[in-house]
Amino acid sequence: MNADQRRSVCPFDCPDACGLLVTVQDGRAIKVAGDPDHPITRGLICSKMQHYERTVHSPRRLTTPLLRTGPKGSGTFAPISWDEAIKRICSRWQEIIARHGGEAILPYSYAGTMGLVQRNSGHPFFHRLGASRLARTICSPAKDAGWQAVMGETPGLDQAEMQQSDLVILWGINASATSIHTMRDATQARKNGARLWAIDTYRTPTCEAVDEAFLIRPGSDGALALAMLQVIVNEGLRDQLFIDQNLVGFTEFAQTILPGCTPERMEPVCGLDAATIRRLARAFAAAKAPFIRLGSGLTRYGNGAMNVRCITCLPAITGAWRTPGAGLLCGTATGGAFPLTLLTREDFLTAPTRIINMNQLGTALNGLDNPPVMSLYVYHSNPATIAPDQNAVIRGLRRDDLFTVVHERFLTETARYADIVLPATSSLEHPDLYRCYGSYQAQRCGAAIPPVGEAKSNWNTFCLLAAGMGWDEPFFRQSADDLIEQLLSCQTPWRDTAVTERLRQGEPTLLTPPSTPRGPWLTPSGRIEIRNDREPEPFPCLLPTHAEADGLSLRLQPAVTPHALNSSFYEQDALRDRQERMLLMMHPEDADRRRLQDGQQVLARNRQGEVAFTLHTTDRVPVGTVVTEGVWWQEFLATGTGRGVNVLTSQRLTDRAGGSTLYDVAVEVSAAAA
Ligand SMILES: Nc1nc2c(c(=O)[nH]1)N[C@H]1C(S)=C(S)[C@@H](COP(=O)(O)OP(=O)(O)OC[C@H]3O[C@@H](n4cnc5c(=O)[nH]c(N)nc54)[C@H](O)[C@@H]3O)O[C@H]1N2
Ligand SMILES: Nc1nc2c(c(=O)[nH]1)N[C@H]1C(S)=C(S)[C@@H](COP(=O)(O)OP(=O)(O)OC[C@H]3O[C@@H](n4cnc5c(=O)[nH]c(N)nc54)[C@H](O)[C@@H]3O)O[C@H]1N2
Ligand code: SF4
Ligand SMILES: [Mo]
């Protein structure tokens, strides 16, 4: 490594937490590459990060604190000093607390950075403040809930096992866009002779790279899995010995639920014909080592957790868990490796405060009382763009009596509604400790370059706010490196001293979960729980989506683009140009039926509102489904209402765990008025 090359880690919300090599010249990052010595990255990073230096040194970066001087949303601000900004925030908060109590203040954050210290920096501060708490459930908590209903705390598979599989199923995961190293491993498994399948709702780039893609109706994976289970049981393809030794509740499930789930009955629900469902079931049961990699999209439905629960039964009933290379990977939970309560400090809360679900920000800002939300502090998240029911969120952000502070790298749509904007560092400008959530790697890194302008990290900003509030806890006088050291020096069964030392040195390091994915099963009964009486439904079963009750003709998928990550990366012009504009993909038959033509402006609408798109007719989407990719910054939308796709998504929650239902959307589409 030459003197100018520094190690860093990709901070974005991606399962891989890639190791990076950053070339630094005169305090600026001039090149970013994948670390060839990182065991997952192996030199390969996605196209979004290949020019991370363009994000870090973007002319759009915020470099000083800003005070709003025009109407909310207008983007008119004047620079102020950090001192003044902290003073204004703290004095306004003191007034609000005196009048309404601490719960009138709401923090809002999610996953702008996944580093353990910077991501969790606000928790001790807002606990000490007595603020409302935020349930951070926008991504995929229903996936964990569905897995846990069957498998409890049993850890996930190691992705490397995919190489021993003879049938890899990418189930509801657009791996070529969202998990490129999974895609690389799956492609390698295919070269080794495995068959590769994808199960999705439209023909994604991932579907182009597999042997066979199966397109199903949105939110119908439970129906597909139940029908496969019915075939497996009916045709005697189950592993009865494994079932007897490891499962609880199978016989009753097979007698009461499965008879109603024949492929013929499930065909109209999931949109695959009965013969194909039978073929899938038989091939799954016949495979020596079937490996399912489950994505997150399919969990963002009113029945999301239940659908995952149904899929989780498949490897249990065929006894796939016996065989290396076989099983199901939802994600890896490495929470036990670094005790986060050292950072989050629940003990700073003097009494439990109310919890507000982040998916219902619109309602929280407009409809809450006792107390109303009088101040919103947003950090490393962009709710005006990424949160469901955008019209409600923006209506709330427009409130004149709402005091909004946004800590950001860019003047996002959310920042445009702020009273005070604080400039944030990028990951190259602050230290942190990262862990993958698709495998078991972790890595620490220091700052590679000094802060751009007057930007400050999340942790440093909360330390200033704590001082501004006049608090004297020594906790808020530590550095981010002190906190990292606390996490590392706390011993856990995941790390021996040699592993911890490697982490201290900034090496990519493998953590070892104290138990294995192949048992003992970490459930209350010690068995794989096909029956679970702690759930509202004791058995996996068919549940409806929300959207099917909406009575609208098309199902909308607000899917991801390879050229951005949620609303991040829109600041890079070249990446944004690859997306061209916000398209609505529709099957030609659906377009003909509505007399719509490719390239035309259309409006998609439902009860939350309407959004303008450019129509793109394509048979990549099945009849009855429309798709738009990307979560666009409103300022780049050329047409119509200037609102994005999240106008159409709702605040409804998943069946379990309070998750978002961003994919559970129905719309009507018509021509936009000329
Ligand atoms: N390039 C890029 N990478 C990203 C992101 C990004 O925005 N862009 N976002 C990051 C984040 S925060 C996350 S959570 C992950 C998510 O990454 P993934 O786990 O891949 O999840 P999604 O892309 O949301 O959805 C995966 C696929 O599920 C499909 N799908 C939707 N509904 C259903 C259904 O009911 N059944 C089935 N079988 N499939 C369905 C979608 O069409 C999509 O192709 O990606 C991360 N990585
Ligand atoms: N329509 C639609 N909506 C979606 C999704 C979708 O696929 N489609 N995906 C959903 C999912 S899965 C998720 S996880 C959420 C993600 O939602 P968010 O977590 O809000 O993710 P981003 O849109 O990437 O916004 C992160 C912001 O953090 C800022 N940031 C980055 N690093 C730092 C830092 O160190 N400090 C501070 N203060 N700021 C920083 C970035 O500039 C960026 O504006 O979006 C959800 N919304
Ligand atoms: S976004 Fe994911 S694939 Fe891309 S560099 Fe970051 S961790 Fe790696
Ligand atoms: Mo996510």
Side-chain angles (χ1 to χ4, degrees), residues 13-15 48 110-111 139-140 143 171-175 177-179 199-202 204 214 216-221 294-301 307 437 557-567 627 631 663:
D13 189 353
C14 171
K48 307 182 291 293
Y110 198 65
C139 186
S140 52
K143 181 165 153 182
W171 196 321
I173 183 168
N174 184 4
T178 63
S179 317
I199 302 177
D200 209 294
T201 48
Y202 78 107
T204 63
F214 302 91
I216 65 170
R217 303 265 303 151
S220 70
D221 303 85
L294 200 66
S296 297
L298 68 94
T299 77
R300 298 186 194 116
Y301 289 88
N307 291 345
Y437 61 90
Q557 302 280 281
V560 308
T561 164
H563 312 301
L565 193 138
N566 303 318
S567 74
V627 178
V631 196
Y663 279 94

Side-chain angles (χ1 to χ4, degrees), residues 10-20 41 44-49 178-181 565 569:
C10 176
F12 286 96
D13 189 353
C14 171
D16 295 342
C18 282
L20 305 177
T41 310
L44 174 71
I45 55 173
C46 64
S47 58
K48 307 182 291 293
M49 281 296 283
T178 63
S179 317
I180 58 167
H181 302 94
L565 193 138
F569 293 102

Side-chain angles (χ1 to χ4, degrees), residues 625-646:
T625 300
V626 287
V627 178
T628 183
E629 293 178 335
V631 196
W632 283 75
W633 288 10
Q634 284 92 315
E635 66 178 279
F636 298 124
L637 297 178
T639 53
T641 56
R643 295 275 164 101
V645 61
N646 279 322

Side-chain angles (χ1 to χ4, degrees), residues 1 4-12 16-24 29 31-39 41-45 49 52-53 56 113 115 118 425-436 441-450 484 503 505-509:
M1 215 185 286
D4 288 323
Q5 216 165 43
R6 318 263 159 91
R7 262 190 160 146
S8 192
V9 181
C10 176
F12 286 96
D16 295 342
C18 282
L20 305 177
L21 296 182
V22 183
T23 311
V24 177
K31 184 168 178 270
V32 176
D35 184 348
D37 298 329
H38 187 287
T41 310
R42 284 182 267 145
L44 174 71
I45 55 173
M49 281 296 283
Y52 187 38
E53 75 284 357
V56 171
T113 172
Q118 305 298 348
T425 42
S426 78
S427 63
L428 295 191
E429 299 150 55
H430 57 234
D432 218 329
L433 173 63
Y434 298 86
R435 57 183 189 196
C436 300
Q441 293 290 328
Q443 190 174 1
R444 172 206 194 148
C445 65
I449 57 169
I484 294 171
L503 283 166
Q505 300 307 318
E507 301 285 325
T509 305

Side-chain angles (χ1 to χ4, degrees), residues 111 300 380-382 386 407-409 458 558 566-568 646:
R300 298 186 194 116
H380 74 111
S381 183
N382 184 12
I386 60 85
H407 185 207
E408 249 301 340
R409 302 175 309 168
N458 291 357
N566 303 318
S567 74
S568 292
N646 279 322

